[in-house]
Structures are given as structure tokens and as C-alpha cells.
Amino acid sequence: MAGKAAAYSPAGLEFARALLASKPDSPVRRMIKAKGLEGRIRRIASENLPQGIYFAKLTLGDWKSWNGKPFRLFQDGALVYGNMIEPPARGFPLEYRNIMVTSNDVSHFTLDIDVPFELKIGRGAFTTPQQLRYDEQYGVEQHGDVFYSRRGNTTTPTKMLITFPGFGPSTTRISYAVSYLKDLNDEDLNDTLMVCFQDRYLAAGSYMMVDNAGRALYERVRDAIEGLRSRFAIDRSQMLFFGASKGGAIAIQYAREYPEAALLLAVPQMNLPYYFTKPAFKDNLFRHNALRELEQPEVRLRQYFNEGRRIHYFYTNSDESSNHSLIELASDIPHLVKYRIDGQHSDVARAALPAMLGLIRRFLRGGADEQFTCEELRTFRHTGNVQVQVRVDPVASKVSGANWFIQGQAGRTRFLQLMTEHSYDFVKYTTAEQSLFPAYDPIVDLEHVRAIQPNGTIWTGSLPSRVNPGTRVPKQQLPNCALSLDASTVQEYVVLNGESFGRYRYRWHRQVDGADTLEMHFVPELGSGTSGPLGGDQREQAASTVEVQPIDGCSLADLFALRVLIATGMRRLHVVIHGKTLKADLEALATMDWDDVTVELHESKVVLAGAAQQ
């Protein structure tokens, strides 16, 4: 025990880090590798945890009958980790590594599913041979508690490309990746230092917001970025922050002190607690209080919009849990270019890779701008939406490997909708999934067709005429406001998911410090009454009260209710429905996927059980 205590002491940690900082081909590193000690030394070097905090590795046996179902690990009856069971890599056990616990006594832990399990607990982070090989392959370096690889011009760079990683599968043998962008070569990076950060915290990453002990990481990562920038005297305007999914949310966080820098984002999460209500995160990251308390990406990005920062943002309307109804309705923001891609969250980066590589290469080494003639425009109607088809000239028809877009202006914001290439190479069109929405898309302000090639060349052709929506669906002025907890004024909020959107006015009537129940009254009109006791055993609970008026129907009311609940940080939701006209549309709120929700019909006092209570 004394030897282990010495190994994990501050002196032992520094010694282990010094060994790992030596050159990979040095005699000491060769000896460490030959004796199979690298994993153990990396564990010692991982992080100096406070006393009473440990890393745990959970291995599940006989898991196949539980595939696709949730499990939870408890320490002395308190939940410490949970996830959805997925098959591991073939030939390997089902492991969950680097779960943070506060006891090193395995007898204190239980599972809520009936399978054999093994729990190992220690002071150092657990790893795998596959992770070690990955880190070596991509040159991942540890600098204190911060991990990154460097490539490109590492001696005299004039530019800086900073990337952040997304998530991998929960059962991968490589839990911590880097966004290496292997398509970029030495010629691309001739003038650029590329820094690829690794989110090496908790079981699968913490959005680089907290370390394994829950302590804020911002200053440590900021200092690493600024140290490299200042070392090479790189102008702040020559910096690009890039990330997709989780990496996009991290990029927003660490661009904070670089207003002159550019951002390239793909499907970043705007509100982490809301995103963490997904089954894969509900019993792990969602319960991490430190991630709730830190400023959310949406707040930071709205500030960047106000500052007029240079932002390229790729998204899909079918990703409401990431978008949080921000980017879809963003307009009249200077220097914002938004690219809408059809498909699901995981489809966007792959589908838009040519355009994203083209934009990155334009930052790295510039790119050509070419013109072509758009010879013909045709417009079609599809279920109230609009599709377009264009014919391009023979020169443009030979452009290969590009993403094609139809482009217009939403005020000072540039809007691009992805198009599809026809089997006839001179025809580009929008599919049903790429339709334009008359209610909020800038259809009459579409002006160009644009192709972005991976080499950085951009081709632009003017439309021969304006696109005519030709539909009875009116263009609406939809507000793009954040949810507010302001108790004094009437607010309006829009929820958008796919082709649907819902509009709601709301006003706070009572906010109780320390309340754990949100009482939400849906009314035909604000001010028509919010009386009505809580039902059942919730009568004694302290409650904050908000009055909500649906506008033009109750579409996506469940998403609106969940977003408000998450914003308050409360655990219980009690919905009171006023009036027969709202009853049919809102009774379904009782089936919301939330642990503690009830719905009361105000007139009859009938209380419907929520999904978790059925």
C-alpha cells in the first residue's frame, strides 16, 4: 500500500509524466514498452485526484439478453453510472472505464440488472492497448491535465487550426479520440499549426468542461491554446476553431477569448442538460451537476452572434435535441453562414464533408472563386413545401466531388440548403427531404446556386429568376428568443423539430427558491386563470408556476415543457390543462419520457399518471 501511495503522490505523478514526455524512441520509453509498463505508467500520470475519489472499471458478463436495455450501477444505494447496453467490439468483454466513485471497496456497489460483473477501482485512469496504440499513432501528448496532438507546421506557423472531438460508441476500446482530419496533408498545413485536443475525462468525455474530479477545465485548456498561439506569435484572426457534435460545443466554449477567430461548427449541442436527457446520457452526464452549472453553448453562441463573429454552421432540422431551436431560425446575423443538410445528426458531417474540407482549405491556403451560368430554374410544390431544380452550364456540370447548395439571404445571414446531383450531371435539385419551408425559409431571397469543392474552390451561379413559393402557407415572423426565467414579462418561444414547429407564450407567476416541482398551466389565453392544486402526493411540494398559452395549436408541447423544466433545474413536472379546447391536444403530455410528470385536467380535477408512474 505504501508503494501505491507513493506512486500516486504528486511526486510520483510528476515522475510518470516526465517519463511519458520523453521521446518515444528513447531508451527509457523502449524499456517501458518492452516490459508492458506503459499502461500502468499512464494510469499514474493520468490525474492527481483529490483524496476519496477513484476511477472504476465495470465489466459485465452474460449481457446479451440485456442488449439494448438500460443498466445502472449504485454505490451505497446512490446512482453513480448508467447506460444502454451495446455489444462490445468482437472478441472483447463489455467494459465501462473511468467511472468516478468515492469508495474503493467493491462491496459497496450493486447493479440493477441480474448479470455477473467485476469492478476494479484505483487511483489512476483505466485504458486499453487499443487506446495506447491510437495515442501513439496520432501523437497524443499529455501536458498536465490537458491532452492534444500537433501536426503541420510545428516550428514557424502563421496560422492555427484547433479541433475538438466528438463521441464514439459507448463500448469502444478507444474511448478518447482526436479530430485529426486525415484528409488534410502536409501541403495543406504548410503554414498552419494544427492542434487536435482529446476529451480525456470521465467515461467518454466531459465536453472538456470539467476534469475527472468535476473541477472546471476552462483555464487549463485556455492556457494551452494561448501558450501555443503566443509562442509562435500567431495573429488571432488567423485562428480557426473546428468541431462536430460534441466537438462543436467544445469549440464554442474555447473560442471565447478569440473574437477575431473563425468557427466552423457541425451539429453542436446548444444545451447540454437538455441533450443529456437522451437514454445514453440520462444516467451519467445528465446527473453531473458541474455540467449543469457552467454556461451553456447556446448562451455563448448568442453572444458571438451579437459580436458579429465569423461562423460557418452546418445543421439539420431533424436534430432538435442539439439545435435547441436556435440555428434553424437564426437570421439577420452578420458573418453567420448556415448550411442546412438533410438527414439525422450523425449524417451531417459525412454528407457535408466536401464543403467543410473546402472551407478549411480556404482558411489554410486560400481557394479559387469560379463563376458559371445557371441556365434554368424550375419550382415544385410538395405537401405545402417548395422544391427547386436547376440546370447548370456545361462547365459547371463537370464539377465533381462538390457539395451543391441553393443560396439566399436571411437578412445579413447567408442561408444555404444542400441539393442533390441528378444522374444527368447538368441537373441539381432538392429532394423532398431537402424541401424549403415557406413559413420561415427565405425562399423569395434565394439568389444563387453554389458548389463547394474539397480543394477550396467555390463555384457560384446566379439564379435566372426568383423562386416563387406559390403556396398558401404564409411567411411567419418567428422569434428566435432563448427561454427566459424572467418572472415579470410575457415571453414567446418557438420549438422546431423537422417540418413541425410550435409557438408558445408564457409568463411566470411564482418562482420558489429550492422548489423541486414545476407547475405548468396550459391556458387558452394568458390571464385566464392559474388556480388549481397539485394532485396526489405532490400537494405538499413547493412549486414554481408558469402559465403557457399555445399559439396556433399545441404542436411539440412535450418538447416545450421539457425544455422549460430543464431550464429551471427542477425534477418534477405537474401540468394543469385549462379548458376543453386544449384537453385533447395536451393529454398526451402524461406519456412524456420523464421520471416524474403528471397531468391534471383542471375542470374535472382528474390527474393522469405520467409515463414513469404507469
Side-chain angles (χ1 to χ4, degrees):
M1 291 295 292
K4 182 175 287 189
Y8 287 99
S9 67
L13 178 141
E14 292 304 321
F15 180 68
R17 289 181 175 179
L19 290 176
L20 294 176
S22 59
K23 293 183 178 180
D25 60 350
S26 66
V28 66
R29 287 292 294 277
R30 290 202 301 269
M31 182 270 291
I32 290 170
K33 196 168 186 179
K35 293 190 174 184
L37 297 174
E38 188 164 1
R40 185 177 302 177
I41 290 175
R42 286 191 180 276
R43 288 194 66 197
I44 295 172
S46 55
E47 189 172 325
N48 188 18
L49 294 177
Q51 284 297 118
I53 299 180
Y54 306 92
F55 294 95
K57 180 174 75 170
L58 173 66
T59 304
L60 301 183
D62 297 340
W63 53 266
K64 290 185 179 179
S65 62
W66 294 89
N67 188 21
K69 299 177 182 178
F71 77 91
R72 294 187 293 178
L73 176 69
F74 295 88
Q75 177 188 323
D76 296 323
L79 177 65
V80 291
Y81 183 81
N83 211 319
M84 303 294 293
I85 290 183
E86 299 178 68
R90 181 172 297 180
F92 292 97
L94 179 57
E95 289 181 356
Y96 298 88
R97 296 173 295 277
N98 300 324
I99 301 167
M100 306 312 299
V101 299
T102 56
S103 171
N104 60 358
D105 185 345
V106 296
S107 68
H108 288 211
F109 295 84
T110 57
L111 276 181
D112 69 344
I113 60 173
D114 186 17
V115 298
F117 70 94
E118 179 187 36
L119 196 64
K120 292 186 177 180
I121 303 174
R123 295 279 295 164
F126 292 91
T127 189
T128 65
Q130 294 79 14
Q131 182 74 62
L132 294 177
R133 288 195 292 270
Y134 179 93
D135 292 346
E136 183 176 356
Q137 177 183 355
Y138 291 106
V140 176
E141 307 165 355
Q142 180 176 356
H143 299 268
D145 297 326
V146 180
F147 301 80
Y148 56 82
S149 69
R150 290 179 290 176
R151 60 185 294 225
N153 188 331
T154 60
T155 55
T156 57
T158 58
K159 298 183 178 185
M160 195 169 176
L161 170 60
I162 305 161
T163 74
F164 301 94
F167 281 115
S170 65
T171 58
T172 178
R173 303 291 291 176
I174 301 170
S175 300
Y176 313 109
V178 292
S179 185
Y180 202 72
L181 297 178
K182 289 184 284 187
D183 289 287
L184 300 180
N185 56 36
D186 291 341
E187 182 181 355
D188 293 324
L189 298 170
N190 184 62
D191 300 318
T192 301
L193 170 64
M194 183 174 176
V195 184
C196 310
F197 278 93
Q198 192 178 60
D199 184 14
R200 206 180 182 106
Y201 313 97
L202 306 180
S206 70
Y207 282 72
M208 295 183 65
M209 287 192 168
V210 296
D211 64 15
N212 291 299
R215 301 166 295 200
L217 269 170
Y218 179 79
E219 291 186 359
R220 282 172 276 178
V221 178
R222 185 272 319 275
D223 289 348
I225 294 171
E226 181 57 21
L228 291 168
R229 188 205 67 81
S230 60
R231 173 182 171 186
F232 299 109
I234 296 172
D235 190 281
R236 292 169 182 260
S237 66
Q238 298 303 302
M239 300 173 72
L240 174 63
F241 289 78
F242 168 77
S245 189
K246 178 182 71 168
I250 302 172
I252 292 169
Q253 170 81 351
Y254 287 103
R256 186 165 87 182
E257 298 181 34
Y258 300 94
E260 303 91 345
L263 288 99
L264 176 54
L265 310 171
V267 290
Q269 287 81 42
M270 291 292 97
N271 186 290
L272 301 187
Y274 182 70
Y275 188 74
F276 294 158
T277 60
K278 287 172 170 271
F281 303 115
K282 200 169 185 179
D283 290 323
N284 47 80
L285 289 177
F286 179 74
R287 298 178 182 273
H288 207 297
N289 289 332
L291 294 176
R292 292 171 169 274
E293 295 165 359
L294 294 170
E295 187 174 66
Q296 294 303 307
E298 177 182 359
V299 176
R300 181 61 52 192
L301 192 62
R302 286 183 183 276
Q303 180 178 331
Y304 295 170
F305 287 170
N306 291 334
E307 295 171 358
R309 294 199 185 193
R310 294 176 291 151
I311 301 172
H312 292 267
Y313 194 131
F314 290 78
Y315 69 102
T316 171
N317 274 23
S318 302
D319 189 19
E320 66 84 19
S321 61
S322 292
N323 299 339
H324 213 241
S325 302
L326 171 59
I327 189 62
E328 304 100 317
L329 302 175
S331 64
D332 201 30
I333 297 165
H335 308 303
L336 170 64
V337 186
K338 59 182 200 175
Y339 306 76
R340 190 168 67 202
I341 312 299
D342 53 297
Q344 302 302 309
H345 176 90
S346 59
D347 299 324
V348 172
R350 179 174 60 254
L353 183 60
M356 290 194 291
L357 285 173
L359 295 171
I360 291 173
R361 286 194 171 106
R362 286 176 75 87
F363 164 78
L364 297 175
R365 52 183 175 83
D369 291 293
E370 304 288 350
Q371 303 293 317
F372 67 91
T373 299
C374 186
E375 297 178 341
E376 183 183 12
L377 167 69
R378 299 180 65 188
T379 305
F380 306 90
R381 316 289 179 260
H382 177 76
T383 63
N385 299 325
V386 176
Q387 294 175 247
V388 296
Q389 176 180 295
V390 298
R391 180 185 179 119
V392 301
D393 67 21
V395 174
S397 68
K398 302 305 179 186
V399 173
S400 62
N403 281 135
W404 286 84
F405 299 90
I406 189 163
Q407 173 186 304
Q409 292 294 132
R412 291 172 291 175
T413 293
R414 190 180 302 164
F415 166 76
L416 293 91
Q417 168 63 56
L418 185 67
M419 303 181 77
T420 296
E421 295 189 73
H422 197 276
S423 56
Y424 296 117
D425 57 13
F426 52 84
V427 175
K428 320 297 175 185
Y429 67 102
T430 58
T431 65
E433 293 76 21
Q434 297 166 336
S435 292
L436 298 160
F437 304 105
Y440 55 86
D441 281 341
I443 296 176
V444 298
D445 295 311
L446 295 171
E447 300 172 335
H448 301 98
V449 173
R450 175 165 284 196
I452 306 177
Q453 291 182 281
N455 65 4
T457 298
I458 294 181
W459 295 77
T460 304
S462 297
L463 293 175
S465 61
R466 292 283 187 180
V467 177
N468 179 9
T471 174
R472 296 179 181 178
V473 179
K475 180 76 183 297
Q476 301 197 33
Q477 297 299 317
L478 300 178
N480 190 217
C481 305
L483 276 172
S484 171
L485 302 182
D486 187 335
S488 61
T489 59
V490 174
Q491 308 284 337
E492 186 171 332
Y493 186 75
V494 176
V495 186
L496 193 148
N497 185 24
E499 296 186 18
S500 303
F501 64 90
R503 298 174 62 193
Y504 295 89
R505 291 194 186 99
Y506 63 100
R507 178 171 57 191
W508 291 93
H509 282 262
R510 179 176 56 168
Q511 296 195 53
V512 180
D513 291 339
D516 64 357
T517 300
L518 173 63
E519 187 177 323
M520 182 176 292
H521 291 257
F522 281 90
V523 297
E525 186 176 351
L526 292 182
S528 60
T530 60
S531 62
L534 292 174
D537 61 2
Q538 296 188 23
R539 293 177 186 274
E540 303 302 322
Q541 304 285 357
S544 290
T545 305
V546 63
E547 184 184 17
V548 180
Q549 175 192 345
I551 304 172
D552 301 327
C554 300
S555 179
L556 307 179
D558 56 334
L559 300 184
F560 172 79
L562 182 58
R563 290 185 186 184
V564 176
L565 181 66
I566 295 297
T568 65
M570 297 178 195
R571 297 187 301 113
R572 296 183 173 90
L573 174 64
H574 184 76
V575 175
V576 182
I577 302 173
H578 297 251
K580 295 180 180 179
T581 57
L582 297 179
K583 175 184 173 183
D585 291 332
L586 294 172
E587 279 185 335
L589 289 174
T591 64
M592 281 177 58
D593 186 16
W594 187 253
D595 290 342
D596 200 336
V597 55
T598 52
V599 176
E600 176 184 338
L601 306 179
H602 176 64
E603 282 71 24
S604 65
K605 306 303 181 188
V606 172
V607 176
L608 307 177
Q613 289 81 46
Q614 291 179 351

